[in-house]
Every structure is written in structure tokens, then in C-alpha cells.
Amino acid sequence: MKGFIGACLESEVSVESMLDVSDFSTTEEQKIFQACLDCVNSGMIPDLGTVHKKTGVPLSTLVDYQQHAIPKANFEYYSEKIREKSNLKALKELCREVVDSGDTFDNLKTLVELKIGTFHGLSEKSSIKRLSEPFGLKIAQYDEARKTPQAEKGFMFGVPGIDDITGAISGPKFCIVAARPSRGKTAIGLQGAINTAKSGLPGLFLSLEMEHGDLIDRLIAAESNIGVNQLRTGHFPRSKVIDIGGAFEQLSEVPLYIFDEPNQKLSRVKSKAREAVRKYGVKFILIDYVELIDFKVQGRQRREEIGEISRQLKQLSRELKIPVILLAQLGRQADEEFPKLHDLRESGNLEQDADIVLLINSKQKDVIIAKQRQGATGSAMVEFVPSRMVFQDRKQEEII
């Protein structure tokens, strides 16, 4: 911190960083930084004499700070380090408050949920940036994207017709995949999750509807080309045992993580997502499905609650900087006609918050990419293979 404070005494650039006075650990550092801020806000470059008058800190001490000043090129690096240390201190204080509260479990849980929201906000002290600030980073990203195979860039459904439109879904994207009940939303979500994990990108599948074992049945059926019912009943030829063993061997190396406890509160869903990112480095999160997330607020209708779930999961995607793919149900009206964005059941917020929306149109055998903030919309001609619970492109003759 000494070097950063020293830099503040001779340039306004470091003062205009994302730091607050409270980020500095000593009263002396806080006084000097505040004085530098005052100078910049008055249109002046900080100097030793002015800061001495404002703070009462001896000139010899200020000179010592200045002599240890860091180079201009390192401002951003050191400001990040100072903010990280400040956030860590805030987290420790939060933990002490929780431990010392001595309250009931439910009240303690509520306190943690409220406080953790405050903590995550600490890392967002300023989002105002000069247009050109991230240019270097973006150039590096474009170059990396050019060199990286498409399958390794982000979440892909494993159905060429769909992936050609959506591309690899990466970064803080909030994606909705919706269908009527029992029309393939879990199937296409699981297919995308395993396809993406096979490319080497670890992911988390939060299954609030199906058990881990049922998901394995579907994956083994898809890998071995044996029907799910055949697997469950044992009605398959002996020759297929080798295929089943091969499927298990292939899947054993795939970095896909499953959480299958039902009736989960929104706070726990978010907690598990953060845990998976921290422990396993997951690069995408898929949740099956939104209507099963427990989030109740007294006096609110379910539509409003779903809207709040949607808002918080979009924020989670931005916080973790990875895609969150949320499965959802379409309303009954989608049975009568071509499914549309307003058919998303119980909440228009899903449509509003989503960066990408896919609607499964089982009648016409297509998947509609109804919304894509940074890309084209369109329709992919697909067919569902119920025995293996997978989607694939429709054959050309079937389309004609």
C-alpha cells in the first residue's frame, strides 16, 4: 500500500482507481488518500505541501511515501490487490458477526444470506470505465477465440442445427430453454451439459426433478445406443454389455458434476453454484428447472417470485462470469399454437432477463431460438429420439 499511496502523491491517475478510503488499513494512509482525492476533485494534481496542510502528516513521512511510489503501469495491479485485501477483511468481519450472534439457525441463515449479498457488492465499487480501457483484453480474447476449437469455447448443445445459430455460449450469459412438460427440456439440457463437459469444460447440473441415477440411465443410453427402457429392464442382447461398459468408461472421465437434491431454496442453489466454481472450476451451470426452485415471499404472487428468481440467477451468472442455463416450462397456450416468448410460464421476467431463449416446438419438430442478444434468431429442424432421450438434426428428406 505504501507504494500506491506514494504514487497518489504525484499523479491523479491512481486516485481515480476503484478504491475507497476504507480500503486502506491505517488511519494515516486513509488521511493521505482522502487528501489526494480532494485535490483531484478540485482539479489539482496532489502535491506534498497541499497534502501536508490537509492531513498534518509530517513532510518527511510524505517524502518517504513518494520515494516508494510504484510505476504508473502497475496502478491497476496494485489497486486490485488492495481491494482484494479489503474484501478479505470484510469477509472475516462478516464471519465474526455470524459466529458471535448466538441466534437460532433460521435467523442465522437469514443473516448470512443478507450479509453475503452485501459482501459480493464490495467488489463492484466502480463500474465506470473509459471506452478504451478493456481494448487490450478484448484483442487477446479475439485472438484466443480464433485459435480455440469451437467445441472448447463454451456451452454447446451437441445438435449442429442449434449450435450453428447460438454458437458456443460463454461468459456471463443467462440462457433459458423452455418446453411444455415432458417435451424434452431435461433431455436437451443434459445433452448439452455432457457434450460441453466432453470438450473439457467442467460443468454443474443442478437437477431438482430427477435423481442422479436416472440421469445416468439417460447418458448411458445415449452413449451405448441402447434404449433407456432396455437398460432399466435388462432386455438387451449380451453383445451390448461391451457397449455399456465402454459408455461407463467414457463418461467416467467427463468433468460433469451433479447436484440432485429436490425442493431447494434459491439461496442454496446459488450457494451450490458458487461452491462448484470454487472447488471444481466449473465453466457453466445448468438448472432443471426454475419452477421447482423454492422461493417464497409473503404477499407476492408466484409470477413475482419467479421474476425474482430469474433476476438473481442472471446476477449470479454475471458474478461468476459463466453461463447459467435455466430450464423452464411453457404455458398451456404453447400447445395450441407456435410457441412464443410470452408463453414462458408464470413470468415475463424470464424473457426480459435472458440473453438467449430456446423454445422447443414439439409439434413442428423444431427448436426456436427466439431471442439472442448478440446473435441471430431462427429455427433449427430437429427430431427427438425417445428411446435414447436425445435430440438430433432432422434428415433432409424429412424436412422437405
Side-chain angles (χ1 to χ4, degrees), residues 125-145:
K125 292 190 172 173
S126 176
S127 57
I128 301 173
K129 299 178 181 178
R130 188 184 177 100
L131 171 66
S132 59
E133 188 172 328
F135 279 9
L137 175 63
K138 295 306 293 185
I139 290 170
Q141 286 177 347
Y142 297 154
D143 187 53
E144 185 66 22

Side-chain angles (χ1 to χ4, degrees), residues 201-367:
L201 294 179
L204 173 66
F205 192 104
L206 283 149
S207 179
L208 307 182
E209 182 179 34
M210 297 179 64
E211 292 185 346
H212 197 156
D214 293 331
L215 297 175
I216 290 174
D217 289 343
R218 291 189 176 208
L219 292 173
I220 295 298
E223 289 292 321
S224 64
N225 204 23
I226 302 172
V228 172
N229 286 337
Q230 287 178 284
L231 285 171
R232 289 173 176 168
T233 60
H235 294 160
F236 53 84
R238 186 174 180 82
S239 60
K240 287 289 186 179
V241 172
I242 295 176
D243 294 334
I244 294 171
F248 274 110
E249 186 175 355
Q250 275 191 316
L251 293 175
S252 66
E253 301 300 321
V254 175
L256 182 63
Y257 301 89
I258 309 293
F259 177 75
D260 67 344
E261 294 180 18
N263 305 318
Q264 292 300 312
K265 293 185 181 295
L266 176 60
S267 58
R268 185 159 167 80
V269 168
K270 292 164 63 178
S271 174
K272 287 297 171 184
R274 292 182 181 116
E275 178 186 340
V277 169
R278 186 177 67 253
K279 287 186 177 179
Y280 309 115
V282 302
K283 300 299 182 184
F284 68 89
I285 293 165
L286 193 143
I287 303 170
D288 184 17
Y289 56 97
V290 63
E291 286 82 6
L292 294 180
I293 296 176
D294 184 3
F295 182 79
K296 291 181 173 59
V297 180
Q298 190 173 5
R300 285 194 186 183
Q301 297 180 351
R302 185 55 178 165
R303 179 184 181 86
E304 295 175 300
E305 292 171 347
I306 292 289
E308 182 62 19
I309 292 171
S310 171
R311 186 185 69 81
Q312 291 199 31
L313 290 179
K314 181 179 179 70
Q315 288 180 342
L316 181 69
S317 173
R318 295 194 63 182
E319 173 195 323
L320 300 178
K321 296 180 173 57
I322 61 174
V324 171
I325 296 91
L326 180 65
L327 306 188
Q329 288 191 353
L330 290 171
R332 284 196 184 91
Q333 61 272 29
D335 281 333
E336 308 298 327
E337 55 187 17
F338 196 86
K340 301 177 180 64
L341 285 170
H342 62 68
D343 294 330
L344 286 166
R345 191 172 176 180
E346 294 185 303
S347 179
N349 287 68
L350 292 172
E351 170 193 346
Q352 176 182 309
D353 293 335
D355 298 296
I356 303 171
V357 179
L358 277 67
L359 307 176
I360 299 176
N361 182 12
S362 55
K363 280 191 174 183
Q364 298 297 322
K365 294 186 177 179
D366 65 349
V367 172

